[in-house]
Amino acid sequence: MSTASASGAVTWVTPAARPPPGQPDINYAPDYSNWRARVKTRLAEGNLPTEVPEGFPKQLGGDAAWDGATLAETYDWTYVLSDGQLSEVDQAVAHFKSLGHSFGHITAETFPLPSLRSELRRLSNELHSGHGFFIIRGIKVDEHTREDNIIIYAGLSAHIAGQRGRQDHKYDGKPADVVLTHIKDLSSSDSSNIGSPAYTTDKQVFHTDSGDIVALFALEIAKEGGASKLTSTWTVYNEIARTRPDLIHTLSESWDMEIFEKANKQWMERPLLHLLPATDKAHQRVSLQYGRRYFVGFGALPRSEGIPPITEAQAEALDTLHFIGEKYCLNTEFQKGDIQYVNNLNIFHARDGFVNQGEKQRHLLRLWLRDPENAWHTPQVLQSRWDQIYKGVTPETSVFPLEPYVRSAANRGR
């Protein structure tokens, strides 16, 4: 059953996934009243830690700890390509096509941008050492074929973060390294198998993807809604550490996280919050890595009954992340042709529900990227997942689907 926000925009379309036995009263759609009631109950029970775990910072500072309500006063996150830069991009497209290579061979060398490259490298530094996100604006999507838009997207990205990650391990029923995926509503044709809001018009709650950098290229926007919402996880961390340090303990302890793919074991144990010690190149950092659906299910992929249910503390922590994320978020209204780059290690994101109509069919292309020169340290507990994403991806095995499909980790029919 659909629900709507105060503005009338659709927020929830997909019915809640069936909860497993013993699961707290929580599902994918956060309920503010339930959250506040759970907070009240847990505080009344008492005996909660009053300090953050040993080694964790009491507060984090710097450009990466921002408030969406005031950020525009000090940071312009939109980089608009000039006519000269767009001409250079077109020349790079022509050069790459002249080589006769497959898309997997798109690199900074095969997509040369002699003037623009220095700006793109500066923007990579902004991702890793600054505010953690930016938007490139000005690509004229309708003046290019789907193939050329992909070349432009992958080519620009190669100068920002040159390593592309694997988002699916098979395509068209065969083993493959799918490095580009489509974020588009496919519910009208495949709703019985969809286990992720990425393929619906539903609101997406705050979450992270996998990998270092998440890039989204808007081929088309919705008739209404669909705003991208970004929040500094450091700002959220600071508020939780100040007001509810016990939840920093909860988030940094082991959780049973579902694996929505065929595996010998259907879940893995790991924290959601990770401490990254100071190095000779960087101060101490924390990183948040999680998706709500891996603990409560979504649509056709409910949480499996064989996995231990989450605890009341974990349920509170999930809602706390979401609602504090909303408190400090920034809405970046996609324009057609925008490419949004986000540091997935210190920003989490959400999406408003949306309405498609006629030619206004929201359609994004996604890349998971890594810049070896600027990359953050990967926590050991995440290394196996990072290896699944980045290790062994070659130009020859890379697949860039031209049309949308539901990837394996979001597909009940996988």
Side-chain angles (χ1 to χ4, degrees):
M1 182 175 66
S2 299
T3 61
S5 67
S7 66
V10 172
T11 53
W12 307 112
V13 177
T14 305
R18 181 189 70 256
Q23 184 87 333
D25 180 16
I26 185 172
N27 57 44
Y28 183 81
D31 185 306
Y32 185 84
S33 296
N34 280 4
W35 173 52
R36 296 314 303 167
R38 183 171 280 119
V39 169
K40 183 178 180 180
T41 298
R42 294 199 65 244
L43 287 176
E45 291 172 351
N47 297 318
L48 301 175
T50 58
E51 299 288 341
V52 297
E54 183 178 356
F56 276 78
K58 291 185 177 181
Q59 294 284 279
L60 291 158
D63 287 345
W66 46 261
D67 182 344
T70 58
L71 184 59
E73 299 171 6
T74 56
Y75 177 51
D76 181 359
W77 54 83
T78 304
Y79 186 89
V80 181
L81 295 171
S82 68
D83 289 343
Q85 290 168 332
L86 288 170
S87 177
E88 186 172 80
V89 169
D90 287 342
Q91 292 171 28
V93 172
H95 173 77
F96 177 77
K97 291 171 72 173
S98 74
L99 301 176
H101 292 330
S102 64
F103 291 162
H105 290 84
I106 298 172
T107 66
E109 290 69 38
T110 62
F111 193 88
L113 297 170
S115 298
L116 183 54
R117 176 172 170 78
S118 61
E119 284 296 285
L120 299 180
R121 293 309 297 155
R122 179 184 66 79
L123 290 171
S124 179
N125 289 333
E126 182 65 49
L127 277 179
H128 294 86
S129 302
H131 297 86
F133 77 100
F134 62 86
I135 291 171
I136 290 179
R137 179 163 292 167
I139 302 299
K140 297 177 174 60
V141 170
D142 291 337
E143 295 182 7
H144 302 284
T145 64
R146 176 67 57 82
E147 290 85 349
D148 284 2
N149 276 314
I150 290 175
I151 293 171
I152 291 169
Y153 180 30
L156 288 169
S157 299
H159 291 268
I160 295 166
Q163 191 173 1
R164 290 183 289 268
R166 180 189 293 108
Q167 299 185 53
D168 205 349
H169 56 82
K170 64 180 180 180
Y171 179 69
D172 200 20
K174 301 175 183 177
D177 293 333
V178 180
V179 297
L180 179 138
T181 54
H182 298 249
I183 308 300
K184 194 173 190 290
D185 176 30
L186 300 177
S187 59
S188 61
S189 60
D190 201 17
S191 61
S192 64
N193 282 324
I194 291 176
S196 168
Y199 305 106
T200 72
T201 62
D202 284 79
K203 177 177 179 176
Q204 277 188 289
V205 301
F206 278 96
H207 66 285
T208 62
D209 281 20
S210 294
D212 286 17
I213 306 298
V214 178
L216 294 171
F217 180 22
L219 295 182
E220 186 56 87
I221 59 174
K223 174 68 167 59
E224 176 188 350
S228 175
K229 305 163 85 74
L230 306 179
T231 299
S232 162
T233 54
W234 286 15
T235 299
V236 172
Y237 174 92
N238 286 344
E239 174 143 332
I240 297 175
R242 179 176 56 84
T243 62
R244 288 293 304 278
D246 60 291
L247 292 180
I248 301 297
H249 286 260
T250 300
L251 291 166
S252 60
E253 294 166 354
S254 186
W255 292 50
D256 295 320
M257 175 178 170
E258 179 138 17
I259 301 171
F260 287 121
E261 297 186 59
K262 292 182 179 178
N264 293 330
K265 184 179 179 181
Q266 281 305 113
W267 76 94
M268 63 182 298
E269 298 90 5
R270 69 165 177 82
L272 275 58
L273 186 68
H274 307 275
L275 179 65
L276 281 59
T279 68
D280 57 349
K281 294 183 179 180
H283 297 295
Q284 185 185 48
R285 296 162 163 165
V286 297
S287 177
L288 181 70
Q289 287 289 292
Y290 86 109
R292 187 179 176 102
R293 74 184 184 96
Y294 296 104
F295 304 101
V296 300
F298 179 88
L301 287 177
R303 184 170 172 88
S304 299
E305 294 187 3
I307 303 176
I310 66 173
T311 66
E312 287 290 333
Q314 290 172 336
E316 184 192 358
L318 287 176
D319 280 345
T320 299
L321 288 173
H322 176 77
F323 287 112
I324 297 182
E326 285 195 330
K327 177 179 178 180
Y328 291 109
C329 79
L330 170 79
N331 287 356
T332 63
E333 299 283 353
F334 270 123
Q335 293 185 17
K336 189 172 184 174
D338 281 358
I339 307 177
Q340 176 181 278
Y341 294 88
V342 171
N343 184 334
N344 190 55
L345 298 173
N346 75 325
I347 287 179
F348 64 165
H349 58 281
R351 178 193 76 196
D352 282 345
F354 61 93
V355 176
N356 288 326
Q357 187 178 90
E359 294 183 355
K360 293 291 187 180
Q361 302 287 320
R362 191 178 192 270
H363 187 177
L364 310 181
L365 301 181
R366 183 176 69 186
L367 291 170
W368 288 346
L369 304 168
R370 181 176 173 86
D371 180 3
E373 180 181 334
N374 289 323
W376 286 23
H377 169 72
T378 303
Q380 185 60 41
V381 70
L382 294 177
Q383 190 60 57
S384 62
R385 176 57 179 154
W386 259 235
D387 287 346
Q388 289 176 350
I389 298 168
Y390 296 113
K391 192 173 183 179
V393 178
T394 68
E396 292 75 21
T397 60
S398 296
V399 175
F400 294 70
L402 295 180
E403 298 299 331
Y405 78 102
V406 180
R407 68 189 185 100
S408 302
N411 191 339
R412 190 182 69 171
R414 62 189 183 277

